[in-house]
Amino acid sequence: MSTPRQSPLGSALALAMALFPLAGLAQDAAAPRSVAPLPAELPDSGEPTPPSPVVADEAAGTPGLDADFGIGRPATAEEIAAIDIDATPDGQGLPDGRGSYAEGKALYDERCVACHGENLKGIPETGGPALIGGRDTLAGDKPLKTVESYLAHASTLYDYIHRAMPMDAPGSLTPDQVYAISAYILGRAGILDETAVLDRETLPQVRMPNAEGFTADPRPERL
Amino acid sequence: MPDLPFSSERYGPAERRMAQALVALENRILHPRPTEDCACRQGMFPGLSRRGMLLGGALLGGALVARPARAEAPPGAIEYPVQPDPTREQGRMILDDGGYGSRSQFENEIRWRYPTASLDSSWSMTPLASGQGIITPSGLHFERHHGGIPNIDPQRHALILHGMVDKPLRLTMDDLKRMPSASRITFIECSGNGLTEWEKPTLRTVQGTHGLTSTSEWTGVRLSTVLAEAGVQDGAAWILAEGADAAVMTRSIPIDKAMDDAILAYAQNGEALRPEQGYPLRLLLPGYEGNTQIKWLRRLEVGDKPFMTREETLKYTDLLPDGTARQFTLTMDAKSVITFPSGAMQLPRPGFYEITGLAWSGRGRIAEVEVSADGGKTWAKAALQEPVLDKCHTRFRLPWVWDGTETVLQSRCTDETGYRQPTLAELVQARGTRSVYHLNAIQSWRIAQNGEVSNVHA
């Protein structure tokens, strides 16, 4: 198979036209040509075609160079709600629902006990850490950092169980179940009593023993 | 020789060998052998593997000849027969690697997994001892996962940016790749790098003591570009970054960092991110502790306070002797380590050695590296290999003649802010030994009289 060639003159002209589109020549496609024809399309060489990142359904914008590229589209409220799962110390992000210590105990025994143990002291072989204990050990030689001894905010407990536990089925617990298991863990930690019920109102009010235990980074002024 | 699937006249000996190797490879994939604990995987260490390195050469040659027909190539390599004289026959055919290269079967460095009890939440370390220059091969970049490595179809992945912004955005990978891009070469270090070494020397090799740092060229969109597109509202101070892995990993990032040099990275060393590095999208925060540089990034929420996630409260906080803990110690301070000679190596005899290693700082460029060959009594300035980049591994070298007596090698670096890497004693004085994270002290390697190199506290 022979590859169509173009004359050197033709290619020089084509380049010139591309660089300086002369109004008369470039716009009037019907005008008879007085020079060699433009190159034919290249035959398929078998080269793989790269994917183009240009997509059809881009949002309209007023494209500038610093902002407002008109790329991407507004996120809808439903899209945000579907993954906006974080809960913060002020209670923002906590969902509706409620759960008690008793409900939490049953769930814990079913879903958590294998890795965190009956006494909530962890099962080292599974990597599941202790969840309670360790108060008054933080300044000692063998500090035990747990939800009970180290965590500053109950919202973190809710948030983490909801997003990442149980390790073998993350994201499988309902808000009611997470409230209940949180009530159970905080109850076993002696932070709540066994009648406590947790929901979006009560959970942010839980006072954690180590709430004041954290300081800001003093580096680089201090080592 | 087994019958080959290629009987055509067109195949010469090289092609036949290639075909044979492919058949062997396929067999290996179809009938995997249980992984063996093979001491030959250590690389660059006494009597092992790397050709030309110290005592290694002869042994490997011998091992090759003795290998069974279906010997296993190291990860990332394909086992081919060694030609008796490669100048007298054609080499193997172009593209027999399928179009994506493999490394030499004689190179066997691999990441090493720290033996955590959980396989899902674990880490692997870069073999720094065999590294050259400053770039870490993507396949050797250290890993830290809290919920395994997710497998994500980029066509179905999107980044959602919301919270205190005028215009919440949903950006696909195609969208992000169309925005103005930026590349930079920078290190990522896990703040747990060296956590075993606070009290006593524990791990033997530099891979174990320092292998949670790696350097790549990263490419993506500046986070400031994307934030400007969405319009950040007054009062915004922190951004929550969230991954799409089983840990749904989350960290809070100060907005100043986000506006300064943060990148939403989709590429590493010229190609798409490796899955274990966050494919298709990760947050890159030059100089920050690795855990904040959320992989498999799916969501950014702009807020006015830190979100207090588990990884910035229960973990990645630095417990001090008085029982309080430092929080949001995000920047990695200056640190250096000698990678040759380093732990578990063996110097065969007194004589010339080029001491070399890496220095880096999360606060800027490395200004100076000094090396001591007498346990810190005297220091000599090492040469810095170009390029010396901002927040990046920097290679240093110093020629040295070992006189055969026992000694201790150390390196210490100073960054452009004037901060000098502390001794372990200074660090322990300030923070005790229970803070787990952010150990950036001077590393000591003892050279014994017999040439053995070991990890010591000096």
Side-chain angles (χ1 to χ4, degrees):
Chain A
M1 193 173 66
S2 74
T3 311
R5 293 190 180 213
Q6 56 171 126
S7 72
L9 177 66
S11 68
L13 264 177
L15 182 65
M17 284 172 63
L19 291 174
F20 311 105
L22 300 173
L25 274 178
Q27 280 173 7
D28 190 0
R33 303 187 61 90
S34 60
V35 293
L38 288 173
E41 267 189 40
L42 289 176
D44 186 352
S45 64
E47 296 157 81
T49 321
S52 166
V54 182
V55 283
D57 62 340
E58 278 172 11
T62 338
L65 279 183
D66 297 327
D68 210 359
F69 295 97
I71 295 175
R73 64 164 173 75
T76 65
E78 296 74 50
E79 283 168 343
I80 296 170
I83 61 171
D84 182 9
I85 58 171
D86 59 282
T88 49
D90 55 12
Q92 273 185 52
L94 283 171
D96 291 333
R98 63 201 298 282
S100 68
Y101 178 102
E103 291 156 346
K105 179 179 174 14
L107 283 162
Y108 180 92
D109 288 346
E110 191 189 327
R111 307 293 298 273
C112 323
V113 77
C115 298
H116 293 286
E118 251 164 67
N119 55 11
L120 285 75
K121 294 285 169 68
I123 307 254
E125 304 80 69
T126 67
L131 301 177
I132 62 171
R135 270 199 238 194
D136 304 322
T137 67
L138 296 183
D141 203 37
K142 286 204 167 66
L144 179 61
K145 295 184 278 185
T146 67
V147 169
E148 175 184 344
S149 67
Y150 199 55
L151 193 57
H153 310 281
S155 63
T156 310
L157 179 64
Y158 182 97
D159 178 279
Y160 183 70
I161 295 174
H162 177 225
R163 74 176 56 241
M165 286 292 137
M167 194 93 179
D168 51 0
S172 63
L173 299 173
T174 64
D176 284 351
Q177 291 175 323
V178 181
Y179 281 122
I181 295 173
S182 302
Y184 176 65
I185 295 172
L186 294 172
R188 289 290 302 267
I191 296 169
L192 296 180
D193 64 43
E194 298 185 8
T195 61
V197 171
L198 287 181
D199 59 24
R200 61 188 302 170
E201 302 299 328
T202 53
L203 186 130
Q205 291 163 22
V206 175
R207 173 98 191 136
M208 300 298 285
N210 198 37
E212 305 302 328
F214 293 89
T215 59
D217 184 5
R219 304 169 309 152
E221 284 71 34
R222 273 175 43 206
L223 198 59
Chain B
M1 219 193 219
D3 268 351
L4 289 175
F6 302 98
S7 53
S8 161
E9 302 278 279
R10 288 190 53 235
Y11 292 104
E15 290 79 12
R16 282 174 193 281
R17 268 203 312 280
M18 179 203 86
Q20 195 178 19
L22 286 177
V23 170
L25 178 69
E26 190 175 45
N27 277 335
R28 274 208 300 284
I29 293 167
L30 293 177
H31 315 286
R33 296 193 313 191
T35 39
E36 317 150 46
D37 269 341
C38 170
C40 61
R41 293 288 160 80
Q42 304 270 320
M44 208 171 175
F45 295 100
L48 295 172
S49 73
R50 292 242 319 182
R51 285 182 301 177
M53 210 33 238
L54 303 180
L55 314 171
L59 271 167
L60 184 71
L64 242 192
V65 175
R67 263 180 209 185
R70 279 178 37 217
E72 223 172 303
I78 301 172
E79 181 96 3
Y80 294 103
V82 176
Q83 295 160 284
D85 180 351
T87 68
R88 288 178 178 274
E89 54 176 326
Q90 301 302 317
R92 66 174 174 267
M93 237 163 24
I94 189 166
L95 287 190
D96 82 61
D97 53 24
Y100 192 92
S102 61
R103 64 173 166 177
S104 163
Q105 70 207 50
F106 300 108
E107 299 299 320
N108 55 15
E109 284 74 33
I110 51 169
R111 296 185 279 219
W112 172 74
R113 189 181 81 83
Y114 185 81
T116 50
S118 167
L119 282 169
D120 303 314
S121 181
S122 193
W123 57 92
S124 77
M125 313 181 87
T126 296
L128 296 175
S130 52
Q132 305 288 345
I134 58 172
I135 302 283
T136 311
S138 301
L140 295 177
H141 195 292
F142 85 86
E143 306 161 88
R144 173 67 171 117
H145 319 302
H146 291 73
I149 304 165
N151 194 16
I152 295 175
D153 177 350
Q155 294 298 325
R156 292 175 49 200
H157 189 77
L159 173 69
I160 288 198
L161 168 59
H162 70 112
M164 294 174 69
V165 292
D166 296 333
K167 190 171 70 174
L169 281 177
R170 179 182 182 278
L171 295 157
T172 64
M173 291 309 301
D174 287 342
D175 294 335
L176 290 165
K177 287 182 182 171
R178 272 198 69 204
M179 300 182 95
S181 61
S183 289
R184 70 174 296 164
I185 303 177
T186 184
F187 77 91
I188 300 179
E189 182 181 17
C190 176
S191 53
N193 202 13
L195 66 85
T196 53
E197 308 300 312
W198 280 101
E199 277 207 302
K200 54 178 180 16
T202 304
L203 294 174
R204 294 170 56 237
T205 69
V206 69
Q207 181 168 18
T209 59
H210 288 75
L212 291 174
T213 185
S214 305
T215 282
S216 290
E217 182 192 31
W218 304 94
T219 304
V221 193
R222 284 183 189 285
L223 179 49
S224 59
T225 303
V226 174
L227 288 172
E229 190 79 357
V232 174
Q233 294 173 349
D234 286 350
W238 291 83
I239 299 184
L240 182 76
E242 182 177 88
D245 57 332
V248 204
M249 178 57 59
T250 37
R251 285 298 300 262
S252 306
I253 315 300
I255 196 130
D256 289 349
K257 181 66 177 178
M259 296 306 278
D260 177 18
D261 59 359
I263 290 177
L264 303 175
Y266 43 71
Q268 175 189 12
N269 295 332
E271 62 181 346
L273 296 178
R274 292 288 168 104
E276 66 273 26
Q277 295 306 326
Y279 183 88
L281 188 68
R282 83 174 298 167
L283 184 59
L284 188 79
L285 301 171
Y288 265 28
E289 63 182 2
N291 180 253
T292 59
Q293 311 193 31
I294 300 294
K295 302 188 280 189
W296 314 290
L297 187 68
R298 72 169 193 181
R299 183 166 77 96
L300 293 169
E301 178 177 356
V302 182
D304 58 356
K305 290 188 283 292
F307 293 75
M308 300 298 176
T309 72
R310 181 246 188 179
E311 309 302 328
E312 58 209 21
T313 52
L314 278 165
K315 300 284 162 186
Y316 300 99
T317 45
D318 306 344
L319 183 63
L320 301 179
D322 68 1
T324 66
R326 294 178 180 178
Q327 196 177 20
F328 299 115
T329 44
L330 301 171
T331 303
M332 300 304 294
D333 279 323
K335 184 167 175 180
S336 72
V337 67
I338 293 170
T339 55
F340 179 86
S342 62
M345 289 182 184
Q346 170 100 40
L347 301 183
R349 65 191 71 83
F352 172 82
Y353 295 94
E354 183 183 65
I355 295 173
T356 184
L358 293 169
W360 61 96
S361 167
R363 299 191 195 274
R365 283 180 185 73
I366 289 297
E368 183 177 83
V369 178
E370 298 159 285
V371 170
S372 172
D374 55 13
K377 289 203 265 304
T378 60
W379 296 87
K381 223 171 129 171
L384 300 187
Q385 168 76 57
E386 293 291 334
V388 177
L389 300 173
D390 183 25
K391 300 170 189 147
C392 189
H393 279 178
T394 300
R395 172 70 56 183
F396 63 87
R397 309 175 189 286
L398 186 78
W400 173 58
V401 174
W402 179 45
D403 62 8
T405 58
E406 176 174 323
T407 189
V408 169
L409 297 183
Q410 298 176 326
S411 67
R412 70 178 182 203
C413 65
T414 306
D415 69 19
E416 62 180 340
T417 71
Y419 174 97
R420 191 167 79 188
Q421 184 181 8
T423 63
L424 185 61
E426 287 166 344
L427 205 59
V428 169
Q429 170 71 25
R431 301 188 203 155
T433 56
R434 299 286 185 260
S435 70
V436 181
Y437 304 99
H438 300 102
L439 175 72
N440 69 323
I442 292 170
Q443 168 70 38
S444 303
W445 300 119
R446 187 183 76 134
I447 315 286
Q449 219 163 357
N450 66 1
E452 257 174 40
V453 188
S454 55
N455 177 13
V456 293
H457 280 182

